[in-house]
Amino acid sequence: MEFQVVRDLVTAAPNGRVLRRFIRESALFFRMTAIVRDDDVRSGRLRIEGSRVTVLDVKRRVIDNDEDAHIVAGEYDLSMADVFHALAYYYDHRDEFARCEREAETARRDGERRTRETLERVESGRRETGEQAD
């Protein structure tokens, strides 16, 4: 039932302002762990302290895939406060996360383009020499 209230808040305020306020006020009743970054863990992605779960892991499951936060918390062995803290952190830094996701998408597309070009060069080299592809 409590998650339904949060879901209603998200629906009512897609910019996350109401959700952030709700989470901050609720955080007074819970001990939350910090959001940390360590280059040796999960390639330096922001994660929940004491776990390998990143802010984006939580965001993708709860926000993007519309999964129940209680289930996500249980599967990751996190407290509800940790899950909501990660979501609040995401909303507070949404522009930075969006920029990082755009950069990652650009890098992925560039990598795919370079792979296609390499494969085309290999194929054209085979055709020129008359080799058969395996």
Side-chain angles (χ1 to χ4, degrees):
M1 185 63 163
E2 110 188 16
F3 184 69
Q4 183 60 44
V5 171
V6 173
R7 185 172 299 202
D8 292 344
L9 288 171
V10 172
T11 303
N15 66 2
R17 190 174 326 147
V18 175
L19 178 61
R20 284 196 306 271
R21 181 174 177 214
F22 172 79
I23 291 170
R24 283 197 188 106
E25 290 174 3
S26 299
L28 298 174
F29 301 104
F30 301 102
R31 183 188 82 68
M32 291 189 306
T33 55
I35 302 298
V36 296
R37 181 185 312 237
D38 182 346
D39 289 336
D40 296 332
V41 181
R42 298 290 306 265
S43 301
R45 291 184 185 99
L46 290 164
R47 63 183 176 82
I48 298 170
E49 183 179 36
S51 77
R52 295 180 52 81
V53 179
T54 68
V55 171
L56 284 179
D57 290 337
V58 173
K59 178 257 186 193
R60 287 176 180 141
R61 291 193 61 187
V62 175
I63 296 171
D64 297 345
N65 295 335
D66 200 29
E67 293 184 48
D68 189 302
H70 291 90
I71 293 171
V72 172
E75 288 179 1
Y76 285 143
D77 196 27
L78 298 170
S79 70
M80 288 301 298
D82 290 340
V83 169
F84 287 135
H85 183 62
L87 292 172
Y89 190 92
Y90 167 76
Y91 277 117
D92 284 342
H93 301 90
R94 193 171 29 184
D95 293 338
E96 179 184 341
F97 282 103
R99 181 185 54 76
C100 290
E101 287 180 332
R102 281 191 307 273
E103 289 172 1
E105 178 64 20
T106 300
R108 183 191 62 77
R109 274 191 254 119
D110 288 345
E112 288 176 350
R113 180 186 49 77
R114 286 191 306 272
T115 299
R116 275 192 309 274
E117 290 170 356
T118 300
L119 291 173
E120 288 170 1
R121 280 195 308 272
V122 168
E123 274 300 310
S124 68
R126 283 186 181 156
R127 277 185 251 132
E128 289 174 5
T129 60
E131 290 182 28
Q132 292 282 328
D134 293 332

